[in-house]
Amino acid sequence: MTADRRTNSADLTKIGILVVSDRASRGEYEDLSGKAIEAFLGKAIRSNWLAIAKIVPDGTESVARALIELSDSEGCDLVLTTGGTGPAARDLTPEGTRAVITRELEGFGELMRRASLEQVPTAILSRQTAGTRGHCLIVNLPGRPSAIEVCLNAVFPAVPYCLDLIGARSIEVNPDVCKSFRPSS
């Protein structure tokens, strides 16, 4: 994954795409969830951005290390994780996220579950969350590509303003795909 819509590196928003999966990290199957995130971003974002993708195995420590690397070392403004948000024993993405964020934004998880519940009754099993680490917004998404689309459609309208509020690089969205909200001054 290397979406690069670069014209000026100073204006370039860096977006981490973190796939959390034991099997994908071992190369046992082709990851489709990270590609679904990148496809959504390609449609939704008008401004310059660069995807920085990683695949790690399930686990609190592997997720925490990757999130620190993406936010602190790579300088990502936004990190979208996929996978590891269910109730299974190895589903530890929320725990890894909570270990590194400074502020949890519970509304993201609440809205994603509500939107997903309109599609499937098992959405109540999902444990997605979001939070900030410095100037980086981290959002946990489910692992199924169709669920990723549902969840991103639900929460992405708030992402540009959230990035503004935390001092991250600004993004502009395609209004035909995403009606973002920024209050007028």
Side-chain angles (χ1 to χ4, degrees):
M1 280 179 269
T2 56
D4 189 350
R5 289 148 175 78
R6 182 183 333 211
T7 56
N8 179 345
S9 62
D11 297 331
L12 185 65
T13 301
K14 293 181 180 179
I15 302 175
I17 299 173
L18 178 61
V19 176
V20 182
S21 167
D22 287 332
R23 293 182 302 143
S25 70
R26 291 190 301 257
E28 294 176 8
Y29 77 98
E30 178 186 8
D31 166 61
L32 299 178
S33 57
K35 291 177 182 181
I37 292 171
E38 189 171 356
F40 177 89
L41 296 174
K43 295 183 298 188
I45 300 177
R46 281 192 330 199
S47 52
N48 301 323
W49 64 282
L50 171 68
I52 301 172
K54 292 185 70 64
I55 299 176
V56 299
D58 288 288
T60 304
E61 290 301 317
S62 59
V63 170
R65 277 192 309 271
L67 291 174
I68 290 169
E69 181 182 330
L70 288 166
S71 62
D72 298 5
S73 301
E74 295 286 351
C76 288
D77 304 285
L78 171 64
V79 176
L80 300 172
T81 73
T82 176
T85 59
R90 295 283 295 152
D91 290 338
L92 297 168
T93 300
E95 287 78 7
T97 300
R98 287 186 184 104
V100 303
I101 60 174
T102 53
R103 286 188 164 170
E104 189 167 4
L105 301 172
E106 294 94 347
F108 279 83
E110 293 165 7
L111 182 55
M112 287 188 279
R113 280 184 290 281
R114 190 179 86 203
S116 296
L117 193 55
E118 294 174 10
Q119 308 294 314
V120 61
T122 55
I124 62 172
L125 301 176
S126 182
R127 301 179 313 114
Q128 292 107 311
T129 192
T132 60
R133 179 179 175 85
H135 300 293
C136 180
L137 171 63
I138 299 168
V139 180
N140 298 155
L141 298 167
R144 293 189 55 216
S146 60
I148 289 168
E149 181 88 13
V150 167
C151 289
L152 283 174
N153 279 323
V155 300
F156 213 76
V159 169
Y161 185 50
C162 184
L163 294 178
D164 294 347
L165 290 172
I166 65 172
R169 285 177 282 256
S170 186
I171 62 170
E172 296 301 324
V173 297
N174 177 349
D176 295 332
V177 175
C178 176
K179 306 268 191 260
S180 70
F181 176 80
R182 285 185 169 109
S184 56
S185 307

